[in-house]
Amino acid sequence: IINAEMIKSGLSDTIFESGIIYTPAVDSTNTAASSMAQEGAPEGTVVIADSQTAGRGRMGRSWQSPPGKGVWMSFILRPELPANEVQTVTLAASVSVAQALERLTGIKPGIKWPNDIILGSRKVCGILTEMNSEIDRVNYIIVGIGLNFSQNEGDFGVDIRDTAVSMSMHLQKCGVKYKNITRNDIIKEVLASFDEYYEILLTSDKGRIITDWRKYSVTLGSRLRVHARNGEYCGRAVDITCDGALIIETDDGSIKNVSSGEVSIRGIMGCK
Ligand code: BTN
């Protein structure tokens, strides 16, 4: 059972210390957090739901969010950042989730660019970052995190059954004890970790976020297929820029920067 008070108790001195809101069911925590931000809710407001009736994923996809089986949460940020640096916030969120999972379980997850968290070769968590901005300044950002916690294979729709995994499925397979890890522990750990990266991002060295992202990357060095707006091509990911764009050496030898879109990596999420 998700308990806002319990989560809050571990987060004093963070941006999340005062604004944790729990609701049993909502259409989408991103949509709810966005309406609250429009009405002036402060940075650090977190909306957590036990279930979502219209959970949203990247690229206009939906996100399966059954009751009691996952962490479905979104938080509001109001950073003084130019819009082109917002991608780093998303990378910070993915590193925070990876770090939290590693701290709690001892198992090191992977990050598939830009921000899918992978256990084994399947997706355990996705992040949807949405932004409200003017041409040169960010009004607010909503970071939405969806983490599969206790689903069995049969709980996933057939469309994602071969590519999705929950924490409990993976930990069971690895023989790791997991029954004492709660969703409250995960939320607290993710938010505490994000708070640290956010502070770094705003005050000092965003290179640190990229450095830590690299440690979890399953993308750099891999052969992959890039799904870009203007078509698809294959290549190898050679590096990531300080703004989070992937540098690809394409099969015809040219170098391309990919700052949005998606990649498929052989062997990951069912990709052949
Ligand atoms: C993805 O496509 O990988 C991103 C999935 C993000 C899902 C989370 S669940 C909480 C928040 N509310 C939403 O509607 N979406 C995000």
Short mmCIF file of all heavy atoms in Angstrom, two decimals, residues 25-90:
data_model
loop_
_atom_site.label_atom_id
_atom_site.label_comp_id
_atom_site.label_asym_id
_atom_site.label_seq_id
_atom_site.Cartn_x
_atom_site.Cartn_y
_atom_site.Cartn_z
N ALA A 25 -6.82 6.28 -7.96
CA ALA A 25 -6.95 6.13 -9.41
C ALA A 25 -7.04 7.50 -10.07
O ALA A 25 -7.66 8.42 -9.54
CB ALA A 25 -8.19 5.32 -9.77
N VAL A 26 -6.42 7.62 -11.24
CA VAL A 26 -6.44 8.87 -11.98
C VAL A 26 -6.29 8.50 -13.46
O VAL A 26 -5.89 7.38 -13.76
CB VAL A 26 -5.28 9.78 -11.47
CG1 VAL A 26 -3.92 9.25 -11.93
CG2 VAL A 26 -5.45 11.22 -11.91
N ASP A 27 -6.66 9.41 -14.36
CA ASP A 27 -6.44 9.09 -15.78
C ASP A 27 -4.94 8.91 -16.03
O ASP A 27 -4.48 7.86 -16.45
CB ASP A 27 -7.09 10.14 -16.70
CG ASP A 27 -6.72 11.58 -16.36
OD1 ASP A 27 -5.99 11.79 -15.37
OD2 ASP A 27 -7.14 12.50 -17.07
N SER A 28 -4.17 9.99 -15.77
CA SER A 28 -2.72 9.93 -15.95
C SER A 28 -2.10 10.86 -14.92
O SER A 28 -2.54 12.02 -14.79
CB SER A 28 -2.37 10.39 -17.37
OG SER A 28 -1.08 10.95 -17.41
N THR A 29 -1.09 10.40 -14.21
CA THR A 29 -0.45 11.29 -13.22
C THR A 29 0.24 12.46 -13.92
O THR A 29 0.35 13.54 -13.36
CB THR A 29 0.56 10.53 -12.34
OG1 THR A 29 1.51 9.86 -13.18
CG2 THR A 29 -0.13 9.52 -11.44
N ASN A 30 0.70 12.25 -15.16
CA ASN A 30 1.30 13.38 -15.90
C ASN A 30 0.26 14.46 -16.17
O ASN A 30 0.54 15.65 -16.01
CB ASN A 30 1.88 12.90 -17.25
CG ASN A 30 3.37 12.65 -17.16
OD1 ASN A 30 3.85 12.08 -16.19
ND2 ASN A 30 4.12 13.06 -18.18
N THR A 31 -0.93 14.04 -16.58
CA THR A 31 -1.99 15.01 -16.87
C THR A 31 -2.40 15.72 -15.57
O THR A 31 -2.57 16.95 -15.56
CB THR A 31 -3.21 14.29 -17.49
OG1 THR A 31 -2.74 13.49 -18.57
CG2 THR A 31 -4.24 15.25 -17.99
N ALA A 32 -2.52 14.95 -14.48
CA ALA A 32 -2.92 15.55 -13.20
C ALA A 32 -1.87 16.55 -12.73
O ALA A 32 -2.19 17.68 -12.33
CB ALA A 32 -3.13 14.46 -12.15
N ALA A 33 -0.59 16.16 -12.82
CA ALA A 33 0.49 17.05 -12.35
C ALA A 33 0.55 18.30 -13.22
O ALA A 33 0.79 19.40 -12.73
CB ALA A 33 1.83 16.32 -12.38
N SER A 34 0.28 18.13 -14.51
CA SER A 34 0.32 19.27 -15.42
C SER A 34 -0.78 20.28 -15.09
O SER A 34 -0.54 21.49 -15.05
CB SER A 34 0.18 18.74 -16.84
OG SER A 34 0.25 19.76 -17.74
N SER A 35 -2.01 19.78 -14.80
CA SER A 35 -3.08 20.71 -14.42
C SER A 35 -2.72 21.44 -13.14
O SER A 35 -2.98 22.65 -13.00
CB SER A 35 -4.40 19.98 -14.16
OG SER A 35 -4.66 19.05 -15.13
N MET A 36 -2.11 20.70 -12.20
CA MET A 36 -1.73 21.36 -10.94
C MET A 36 -0.67 22.43 -11.18
O MET A 36 -0.70 23.50 -10.58
CB MET A 36 -1.23 20.31 -9.94
CG MET A 36 -2.35 19.38 -9.50
SD MET A 36 -1.72 18.01 -8.55
CE MET A 36 -1.15 18.86 -7.13
N ALA A 37 0.29 22.12 -12.07
CA ALA A 37 1.34 23.09 -12.37
C ALA A 37 0.74 24.35 -13.00
O ALA A 37 1.12 25.47 -12.67
CB ALA A 37 2.38 22.46 -13.31
N GLN A 38 -0.25 24.14 -13.89
CA GLN A 38 -0.94 25.29 -14.52
C GLN A 38 -1.56 26.19 -13.47
O GLN A 38 -1.62 27.40 -13.62
CB GLN A 38 -2.09 24.80 -15.43
CG GLN A 38 -1.69 24.01 -16.63
CD GLN A 38 -1.34 24.90 -17.82
OE1 GLN A 38 -1.20 26.10 -17.67
NE2 GLN A 38 -1.18 24.29 -18.98
N GLU A 39 -2.04 25.53 -12.40
CA GLU A 39 -2.70 26.31 -11.34
C GLU A 39 -1.72 26.83 -10.31
O GLU A 39 -2.11 27.33 -9.27
CB GLU A 39 -3.78 25.45 -10.68
CG GLU A 39 -5.03 25.35 -11.54
CD GLU A 39 -5.89 24.14 -11.21
OE1 GLU A 39 -5.76 23.62 -10.08
OE2 GLU A 39 -6.64 23.71 -12.10
N GLY A 40 -0.42 26.63 -10.56
CA GLY A 40 0.58 27.24 -9.70
C GLY A 40 1.22 26.33 -8.66
O GLY A 40 1.94 26.80 -7.78
N ALA A 41 0.96 25.03 -8.72
CA ALA A 41 1.58 24.12 -7.74
C ALA A 41 3.10 24.25 -7.82
O ALA A 41 3.66 24.41 -8.90
CB ALA A 41 1.16 22.68 -8.02
N PRO A 42 3.77 24.21 -6.66
CA PRO A 42 5.20 24.47 -6.65
C PRO A 42 6.05 23.30 -7.16
O PRO A 42 5.58 22.17 -7.25
CB PRO A 42 5.51 24.71 -5.16
CG PRO A 42 4.45 23.98 -4.43
CD PRO A 42 3.23 24.00 -5.30
N GLU A 43 7.29 23.64 -7.47
CA GLU A 43 8.28 22.62 -7.82
C GLU A 43 8.35 21.57 -6.70
O GLU A 43 8.24 21.89 -5.53
CB GLU A 43 9.65 23.31 -7.95
CG GLU A 43 10.79 22.34 -8.07
CD GLU A 43 12.03 22.98 -8.67
OE1 GLU A 43 12.10 23.08 -9.90
OE2 GLU A 43 12.91 23.39 -7.90
N GLY A 44 8.49 20.33 -7.06
CA GLY A 44 8.62 19.27 -6.07
C GLY A 44 7.29 18.60 -5.74
O GLY A 44 7.25 17.62 -4.99
N THR A 45 6.19 19.11 -6.29
CA THR A 45 4.89 18.45 -6.09
C THR A 45 4.92 17.10 -6.82
O THR A 45 5.29 17.04 -7.98
CB THR A 45 3.74 19.31 -6.65
OG1 THR A 45 3.79 20.60 -6.04
CG2 THR A 45 2.38 18.66 -6.39
N VAL A 46 4.55 16.04 -6.08
CA VAL A 46 4.57 14.70 -6.67
C VAL A 46 3.16 14.12 -6.65
O VAL A 46 2.47 14.21 -5.63
CB VAL A 46 5.46 13.73 -5.83
CG1 VAL A 46 5.63 12.40 -6.54
CG2 VAL A 46 6.81 14.34 -5.52
N VAL A 47 2.73 13.56 -7.77
CA VAL A 47 1.43 12.88 -7.82
C VAL A 47 1.69 11.39 -8.02
O VAL A 47 2.35 11.00 -9.00
CB VAL A 47 0.56 13.41 -8.98
CG1 VAL A 47 -0.79 12.72 -9.00
CG2 VAL A 47 0.39 14.91 -8.89
N ILE A 48 1.18 10.59 -7.11
CA ILE A 48 1.37 9.13 -7.20
C ILE A 48 0.00 8.48 -7.26
O ILE A 48 -0.91 8.86 -6.50
CB ILE A 48 2.11 8.59 -5.95
CG1 ILE A 48 3.40 9.37 -5.70
CG2 ILE A 48 2.41 7.10 -6.09
CD1 ILE A 48 4.04 9.09 -4.35
N ALA A 49 -0.17 7.52 -8.17
CA ALA A 49 -1.46 6.83 -8.25
C ALA A 49 -1.26 5.33 -8.11
O ALA A 49 -0.23 4.78 -8.50
CB ALA A 49 -2.13 7.14 -9.58
N ASP A 50 -2.27 4.67 -7.54
CA ASP A 50 -2.22 3.21 -7.47
C ASP A 50 -2.52 2.62 -8.84
O ASP A 50 -2.01 1.56 -9.20
CB ASP A 50 -3.23 2.71 -6.43
CG ASP A 50 -3.01 1.25 -6.11
OD1 ASP A 50 -1.85 0.88 -5.78
OD2 ASP A 50 -3.96 0.46 -6.22
N SER A 51 -3.38 3.31 -9.59
CA SER A 51 -3.66 2.86 -10.97
C SER A 51 -3.96 4.07 -11.85
O SER A 51 -4.38 5.12 -11.36
CB SER A 51 -4.84 1.90 -11.00
OG SER A 51 -6.03 2.60 -10.76
N GLN A 52 -3.72 3.90 -13.15
CA GLN A 52 -4.08 4.94 -14.12
C GLN A 52 -5.03 4.34 -15.14
O GLN A 52 -4.83 3.22 -15.61
CB GLN A 52 -2.84 5.44 -14.86
CG GLN A 52 -1.78 6.07 -13.97
CD GLN A 52 -0.59 6.61 -14.79
OE1 GLN A 52 -0.36 7.80 -14.85
NE2 GLN A 52 0.16 5.72 -15.40
N THR A 53 -6.05 5.12 -15.48
CA THR A 53 -7.01 4.61 -16.45
C THR A 53 -6.61 4.98 -17.88
O THR A 53 -7.09 4.38 -18.84
CB THR A 53 -8.42 5.17 -16.17
OG1 THR A 53 -8.30 6.61 -16.05
CG2 THR A 53 -8.98 4.62 -14.88
N ALA A 54 -5.74 5.98 -18.02
CA ALA A 54 -5.28 6.39 -19.36
C ALA A 54 -3.82 6.78 -19.28
O ALA A 54 -3.43 7.89 -19.67
CB ALA A 54 -6.13 7.54 -19.88
N GLY A 55 -2.99 5.86 -18.74
CA GLY A 55 -1.55 6.12 -18.62
C GLY A 55 -0.96 6.34 -20.00
O GLY A 55 -1.34 5.67 -20.96
N ARG A 56 -0.05 7.30 -20.10
CA ARG A 56 0.51 7.66 -21.40
C ARG A 56 1.99 7.34 -21.47
O ARG A 56 2.72 7.52 -20.49
CB ARG A 56 0.30 9.16 -21.66
CG ARG A 56 -1.17 9.52 -21.77
CD ARG A 56 -1.38 10.95 -22.22
NE ARG A 56 -1.16 11.91 -21.14
CZ ARG A 56 -0.18 12.79 -21.12
NH1 ARG A 56 0.71 12.85 -22.11
NH2 ARG A 56 -0.07 13.63 -20.12
N GLY A 57 2.43 6.83 -22.64
CA GLY A 57 3.84 6.55 -22.87
C GLY A 57 4.42 7.53 -23.88
O GLY A 57 3.73 8.45 -24.32
N ARG A 58 5.66 7.34 -24.24
CA ARG A 58 6.28 8.21 -25.25
C ARG A 58 5.69 7.90 -26.62
O ARG A 58 5.08 6.88 -26.83
CB ARG A 58 7.80 7.98 -25.30
CG ARG A 58 8.51 8.43 -24.03
CD ARG A 58 10.02 8.18 -24.13
NE ARG A 58 10.65 9.04 -25.10
CZ ARG A 58 11.53 8.65 -26.01
NH1 ARG A 58 11.90 7.38 -26.07
NH2 ARG A 58 12.07 9.50 -26.86
N MET A 59 5.87 8.82 -27.54
CA MET A 59 5.47 8.64 -28.94
C MET A 59 3.98 8.35 -29.08
O MET A 59 3.56 7.53 -29.92
CB MET A 59 6.24 7.47 -29.59
CG MET A 59 7.69 7.41 -29.27
SD MET A 59 8.59 8.32 -30.54
CE MET A 59 10.19 8.39 -29.82
N GLY A 60 3.17 8.93 -28.20
CA GLY A 60 1.72 8.76 -28.28
C GLY A 60 1.21 7.38 -27.91
O GLY A 60 0.04 7.06 -28.14
N ARG A 61 2.07 6.55 -27.32
CA ARG A 61 1.62 5.21 -26.93
C ARG A 61 0.87 5.28 -25.60
O ARG A 61 0.94 6.27 -24.89
CB ARG A 61 2.82 4.27 -26.77
CG ARG A 61 3.60 4.09 -28.06
CD ARG A 61 4.62 2.97 -27.88
NE ARG A 61 5.52 2.98 -29.01
CZ ARG A 61 6.82 3.31 -28.96
NH1 ARG A 61 7.39 3.61 -27.81
NH2 ARG A 61 7.57 3.31 -30.05
N SER A 62 0.19 4.18 -25.28
CA SER A 62 -0.43 4.14 -23.95
C SER A 62 0.50 3.37 -23.01
O SER A 62 1.44 2.72 -23.46
CB SER A 62 -1.81 3.49 -24.02
OG SER A 62 -1.67 2.17 -24.45
N TRP A 63 0.22 3.48 -21.72
CA TRP A 63 1.07 2.81 -20.72
C TRP A 63 0.17 2.01 -19.78
O TRP A 63 -0.69 2.59 -19.12
CB TRP A 63 1.88 3.86 -19.94
CG TRP A 63 2.85 3.24 -18.98
CD1 TRP A 63 2.65 3.07 -17.63
CD2 TRP A 63 4.15 2.70 -19.25
NE1 TRP A 63 3.74 2.46 -17.08
CE2 TRP A 63 4.67 2.22 -18.05
CE3 TRP A 63 4.92 2.57 -20.43
CZ2 TRP A 63 5.94 1.63 -17.96
CZ3 TRP A 63 6.17 1.99 -20.34
CH2 TRP A 63 6.66 1.52 -19.12
N GLN A 64 0.36 0.71 -19.76
CA GLN A 64 -0.49 -0.15 -18.92
C GLN A 64 -0.15 0.07 -17.45
O GLN A 64 1.00 -0.10 -17.06
CB GLN A 64 -0.26 -1.62 -19.31
CG GLN A 64 -0.64 -1.88 -20.77
CD GLN A 64 -0.28 -3.28 -21.26
OE1 GLN A 64 0.01 -4.17 -20.46
NE2 GLN A 64 -0.30 -3.48 -22.57
N SER A 65 -1.16 0.43 -16.66
CA SER A 65 -0.91 0.83 -15.27
C SER A 65 -1.93 0.20 -14.32
O SER A 65 -2.76 0.89 -13.73
CB SER A 65 -1.01 2.35 -15.14
OG SER A 65 -0.52 3.03 -16.27
N PRO A 66 -1.92 -1.13 -14.18
CA PRO A 66 -2.93 -1.79 -13.35
C PRO A 66 -2.77 -1.47 -11.86
O PRO A 66 -1.66 -1.17 -11.42
CB PRO A 66 -2.67 -3.28 -13.62
CG PRO A 66 -1.25 -3.36 -14.05
CD PRO A 66 -0.95 -2.07 -14.75
N PRO A 67 -3.88 -1.54 -11.09
CA PRO A 67 -3.83 -1.20 -9.67
C PRO A 67 -2.88 -2.11 -8.89
O PRO A 67 -2.85 -3.31 -9.12
CB PRO A 67 -5.27 -1.38 -9.19
CG PRO A 67 -5.97 -2.11 -10.28
CD PRO A 67 -5.22 -1.88 -11.55
N GLY A 68 -2.11 -1.47 -8.00
CA GLY A 68 -1.30 -2.23 -7.05
C GLY A 68 -0.04 -2.86 -7.62
O GLY A 68 0.73 -3.47 -6.89
N LYS A 69 0.20 -2.72 -8.91
CA LYS A 69 1.29 -3.50 -9.51
C LYS A 69 2.47 -2.68 -9.98
O LYS A 69 3.42 -3.23 -10.54
CB LYS A 69 0.75 -4.30 -10.71
CG LYS A 69 -0.46 -5.13 -10.36
CD LYS A 69 -0.31 -6.55 -10.78
CE LYS A 69 -1.36 -7.37 -10.05
NZ LYS A 69 -1.33 -8.75 -10.31
N GLY A 70 2.41 -1.37 -9.76
CA GLY A 70 3.54 -0.59 -10.26
C GLY A 70 3.69 0.72 -9.53
O GLY A 70 2.89 1.07 -8.65
N VAL A 71 4.72 1.45 -9.89
CA VAL A 71 4.89 2.81 -9.41
C VAL A 71 4.52 3.72 -10.58
O VAL A 71 5.17 3.69 -11.62
CB VAL A 71 6.36 3.07 -9.00
CG1 VAL A 71 6.60 4.56 -8.76
CG2 VAL A 71 6.73 2.25 -7.77
N TRP A 72 3.43 4.45 -10.42
CA TRP A 72 2.98 5.40 -11.45
C TRP A 72 3.02 6.77 -10.81
O TRP A 72 2.18 7.08 -9.96
CB TRP A 72 1.57 5.05 -11.96
CG TRP A 72 1.21 3.58 -12.01
CD1 TRP A 72 0.15 2.99 -11.39
CD2 TRP A 72 1.90 2.53 -12.71
NE1 TRP A 72 0.14 1.64 -11.67
CE2 TRP A 72 1.21 1.32 -12.47
CE3 TRP A 72 3.04 2.49 -13.51
CZ2 TRP A 72 1.61 0.09 -13.01
CZ3 TRP A 72 3.45 1.27 -14.04
CH2 TRP A 72 2.73 0.10 -13.80
N MET A 73 4.03 7.55 -11.14
CA MET A 73 4.14 8.86 -10.48
C MET A 73 4.71 9.93 -11.40
O MET A 73 5.41 9.63 -12.35
CB MET A 73 5.00 8.76 -9.23
CG MET A 73 6.48 8.57 -9.48
SD MET A 73 7.39 8.83 -7.93
CE MET A 73 9.00 8.20 -8.38
N SER A 74 4.37 11.17 -11.08
CA SER A 74 4.86 12.32 -11.85
C SER A 74 5.20 13.44 -10.89
O SER A 74 4.53 13.61 -9.87
CB SER A 74 3.78 12.83 -12.81
OG SER A 74 3.32 11.78 -13.64
N PHE A 75 6.24 14.21 -11.23
CA PHE A 75 6.53 15.37 -10.39
C PHE A 75 6.77 16.62 -11.22
O PHE A 75 7.13 16.55 -12.40
CB PHE A 75 7.67 15.10 -9.40
CG PHE A 75 8.92 14.49 -9.97
CD1 PHE A 75 9.88 15.27 -10.58
CD2 PHE A 75 9.13 13.11 -9.85
CE1 PHE A 75 11.05 14.70 -11.06
CE2 PHE A 75 10.31 12.53 -10.34
CZ PHE A 75 11.26 13.33 -10.97
N ILE A 76 6.55 17.75 -10.54
CA ILE A 76 6.66 19.07 -11.21
C ILE A 76 8.04 19.67 -10.93
O ILE A 76 8.48 19.68 -9.78
CB ILE A 76 5.58 20.04 -10.65
CG1 ILE A 76 4.17 19.48 -10.90
CG2 ILE A 76 5.73 21.43 -11.26
CD1 ILE A 76 3.06 20.29 -10.22
N LEU A 77 8.67 20.18 -11.99
CA LEU A 77 9.93 20.92 -11.83
C LEU A 77 9.76 22.29 -12.47
O LEU A 77 9.03 22.42 -13.46
CB LEU A 77 11.08 20.19 -12.52
CG LEU A 77 11.38 18.76 -12.03
CD1 LEU A 77 12.46 18.14 -12.91
CD2 LEU A 77 11.81 18.75 -10.57
N ARG A 78 10.43 23.26 -11.89
CA ARG A 78 10.42 24.60 -12.50
C ARG A 78 11.86 25.11 -12.58
O ARG A 78 12.23 26.08 -11.90
CB ARG A 78 9.56 25.55 -11.65
CG ARG A 78 8.06 25.14 -11.59
CD ARG A 78 7.26 26.15 -10.79
NE ARG A 78 5.85 25.79 -10.69
CZ ARG A 78 4.94 26.05 -11.63
NH1 ARG A 78 5.29 26.66 -12.74
NH2 ARG A 78 3.68 25.70 -11.43
N PRO A 79 12.67 24.48 -13.40
CA PRO A 79 14.09 24.86 -13.44
C PRO A 79 14.33 26.10 -14.31
O PRO A 79 13.57 26.34 -15.24
CB PRO A 79 14.74 23.64 -14.11
CG PRO A 79 13.68 23.11 -15.00
CD PRO A 79 12.36 23.40 -14.34
N GLU A 80 15.38 26.84 -13.96
CA GLU A 80 15.77 27.94 -14.83
C GLU A 80 16.77 27.38 -15.83
O GLU A 80 17.97 27.46 -15.63
CB GLU A 80 16.37 29.06 -14.00
CG GLU A 80 15.37 29.63 -13.05
CD GLU A 80 15.53 31.11 -12.80
OE1 GLU A 80 16.51 31.69 -13.31
OE2 GLU A 80 14.68 31.66 -12.09
N LEU A 81 16.25 26.75 -16.85
CA LEU A 81 17.10 26.11 -17.85
C LEU A 81 16.59 26.49 -19.22
O LEU A 81 15.39 26.63 -19.41
CB LEU A 81 16.96 24.58 -17.77
CG LEU A 81 17.72 23.74 -16.76
CD1 LEU A 81 17.38 22.27 -16.99
CD2 LEU A 81 19.21 23.96 -16.88
N PRO A 82 17.47 26.64 -20.20
CA PRO A 82 16.98 26.79 -21.56
C PRO A 82 16.34 25.49 -22.02
O PRO A 82 16.74 24.40 -21.58
CB PRO A 82 18.25 27.10 -22.37
CG PRO A 82 19.40 26.70 -21.51
CD PRO A 82 18.93 26.68 -20.10
N ALA A 83 15.34 25.61 -22.90
CA ALA A 83 14.56 24.43 -23.30
C ALA A 83 15.45 23.32 -23.88
O ALA A 83 15.18 22.14 -23.69
CB ALA A 83 13.49 24.84 -24.31
N ASN A 84 16.55 23.69 -24.54
CA ASN A 84 17.38 22.65 -25.16
C ASN A 84 18.19 21.84 -24.14
O ASN A 84 18.86 20.89 -24.49
CB ASN A 84 18.29 23.24 -26.24
CG ASN A 84 19.28 24.23 -25.67
OD1 ASN A 84 19.12 24.70 -24.55
ND2 ASN A 84 20.31 24.55 -26.43
N GLU A 85 18.13 22.23 -22.87
CA GLU A 85 18.86 21.46 -21.86
C GLU A 85 17.94 20.53 -21.06
O GLU A 85 18.37 19.85 -20.13
CB GLU A 85 19.63 22.39 -20.92
CG GLU A 85 20.82 23.02 -21.63
CD GLU A 85 21.67 23.89 -20.72
OE1 GLU A 85 21.55 23.79 -19.48
OE2 GLU A 85 22.44 24.68 -21.27
N VAL A 86 16.67 20.52 -21.45
CA VAL A 86 15.70 19.75 -20.68
C VAL A 86 15.95 18.24 -20.78
O VAL A 86 15.68 17.48 -19.85
CB VAL A 86 14.26 20.13 -21.10
CG1 VAL A 86 13.24 19.19 -20.50
CG2 VAL A 86 13.98 21.54 -20.66
N GLN A 87 16.51 17.83 -21.90
CA GLN A 87 16.82 16.41 -22.08
C GLN A 87 17.69 15.88 -20.92
O GLN A 87 17.55 14.73 -20.50
CB GLN A 87 17.53 16.23 -23.43
CG GLN A 87 18.09 14.83 -23.69
CD GLN A 87 17.08 13.91 -24.35
OE1 GLN A 87 15.89 13.91 -23.99
NE2 GLN A 87 17.52 13.11 -25.28
N THR A 88 18.57 16.73 -20.40
CA THR A 88 19.44 16.30 -19.29
C THR A 88 18.62 15.96 -18.05
O THR A 88 18.99 15.09 -17.27
CB THR A 88 20.45 17.41 -18.93
OG1 THR A 88 20.60 18.29 -20.02
CG2 THR A 88 21.78 16.81 -18.55
N VAL A 89 17.49 16.65 -17.87
CA VAL A 89 16.63 16.35 -16.73
C VAL A 89 16.08 14.92 -16.85
O VAL A 89 16.03 14.15 -15.89
CB VAL A 89 15.45 17.35 -16.65
CG1 VAL A 89 14.48 16.97 -15.55
CG2 VAL A 89 15.96 18.76 -16.44
N THR A 90 15.71 14.56 -18.07
CA THR A 90 15.20 13.20 -18.30
C THR A 90 16.29 12.16 -18.07
O THR A 90 16.05 11.11 -17.48
CB THR A 90 14.69 13.06 -19.76
OG1 THR A 90 13.89 14.18 -20.05
CG2 THR A 90 13.89 11.82 -19.93
#
